[in-house]
Amino acid sequence: MKSEDIDLLKFEKKLYKEGINLIAGVDEVGRGPLVGPVVASAVILPKNYKLEGLTDSKKLSEKKRNLFFDIIKRDAIAIGVGVISAKIIDEVNIYEASKLAMYEAIKKLDIKPEHVLIDAMPLNLDVPSTSIIHGDALSLSIAAASVIAKVTRDKMMYELDEKYPMYGFKNHKGYPTKEHLQNLQKFGVLENYRFTYKPVSDLIIRGGEVKNEKNINQ
């Protein structure tokens, strides 16, 4: 089935029929990068909302994501964003950190949802919820959350790139590309990195100094 043939309101419509209108879609981004936070978003869209072309943020160009980001920010009933730092990721692991980011995003919604649609991950909430495998490509609410989370996190990577341009964060967004791994070997581990992730942990074990803005500019 082609993506354009999928009814992205299928799950929402089922809930609408049950009299449930305040539906939050929840998704996270940033499990794979070596650096920076994991970011989640919760989005409540208006009933029967349509946005042509909206789908999983990973399938969209950056230009399209930014456009949809602005439209969703304008049209959504409520948006919440949760950010969990690299330090906490190291303390609790990425799976638990992703859940924490989702809980935080839901908590930050101005309006309490009546039902939560979650991309893949089960959450223990005080409202009914449904976990949907590949939900960001099957539910408009989750797709909207994936765009908000992705654009929010990418902006953080651009800010990090301004501080440390030699690492190329604007290009790879912290993911372990060939360019990123070469720069990591050359310039060393920053305090923003996830120290439990390989090859970051290997560099630290071998005696690599953890750098911050002060000592990298010396």
Side-chain angles (χ1 to χ4, degrees), residues 83-104:
V83 179
I84 300 299
S85 69
K87 184 174 184 293
I88 295 175
I89 292 170
D90 286 337
E91 288 172 1
V92 302
N93 77 50
I94 187 58
Y95 181 80
E96 293 301 324
S98 298
K99 286 167 75 170
L100 289 175
M102 287 181 168
Y103 284 129
E104 186 178 309

Side-chain angles (χ1 to χ4, degrees), residues 2-213:
K2 296 177 182 177
S3 58
E4 57 265 28
D5 296 329
I6 297 170
D7 181 3
L8 289 181
L9 286 175
K10 174 186 168 184
F11 293 95
E12 286 86 346
K13 284 174 181 174
K14 186 173 181 290
L15 293 167
Y16 294 151
K17 284 181 181 177
E18 297 170 15
I20 297 166
N21 296 319
L22 294 174
I23 303 163
V26 179
D27 198 10
E28 50 72 33
V29 298
R31 286 204 201 190
L34 305 178
V35 64
V38 60
V39 177
S41 177
V43 177
I44 302 176
L45 296 173
K47 185 176 180 179
N48 290 317
Y49 182 77
K50 286 187 174 70
L51 183 52
E52 197 68 39
L54 178 60
T55 185
D56 170 13
S57 63
K58 295 186 292 295
K59 297 177 180 177
L60 299 169
S61 67
E62 184 168 15
K63 185 179 178 181
K64 254 307 178 43
R65 280 197 302 266
N66 289 334
L67 174 65
F68 285 151
F69 178 87
D70 291 337
I71 294 170
I72 294 162
K73 291 276 277 189
R74 181 194 70 199
D75 294 347
I77 292 171
I79 294 175
V81 173
V83 179
I84 300 299
S85 69
K87 184 174 184 293
I88 295 175
I89 292 170
D90 286 337
E91 288 172 1
V92 302
N93 77 50
I94 187 58
Y95 181 80
E96 293 301 324
S98 298
K99 286 167 75 170
L100 289 175
M102 287 181 168
Y103 284 129
E104 186 178 309
I106 295 166
K107 187 179 177 182
K108 287 187 175 178
L109 288 168
D110 292 336
I111 300 166
K112 186 172 182 176
E114 298 168 306
H115 196 101
V116 179
L117 299 176
I118 312 157
D119 185 41
M121 193 172 288
L123 297 177
N124 184 18
L125 302 169
D126 61 353
V127 295
S129 63
T130 306
S131 295
I132 305 167
I133 303 297
H134 302 307
D136 47 8
L138 298 173
S139 159
L140 198 74
S141 302
I142 298 175
S146 79
V147 166
I148 296 294
K150 173 68 174 161
V151 174
T152 299
R153 191 182 187 283
D154 282 356
K155 285 179 179 178
M156 293 176 180
M157 290 296 100
Y158 285 127
E159 288 168 7
L160 199 61
D161 186 78
E162 287 180 10
K163 281 186 177 181
Y164 309 109
M166 69 286 280
Y167 287 82
F169 294 122
K170 67 180 178 183
N171 302 324
H172 52 69
K173 310 298 191 298
Y175 286 89
T177 63
K178 184 180 179 182
E179 176 202 3
H180 187 188
L181 296 178
Q182 286 174 344
N183 291 337
L184 178 60
Q185 289 282 347
K186 185 176 181 181
F187 299 109
V189 178
L190 296 169
E191 59 185 349
N192 316 72
Y193 274 88
R194 302 173 184 180
F195 299 159
T196 53
Y197 275 40
K198 285 180 174 286
V200 181
S201 57
D202 294 337
L203 286 172
I204 293 170
I205 289 167
R206 292 203 297 268
E209 179 191 6
V210 176
K211 302 173 184 293
N212 56 35
E213 196 169 359

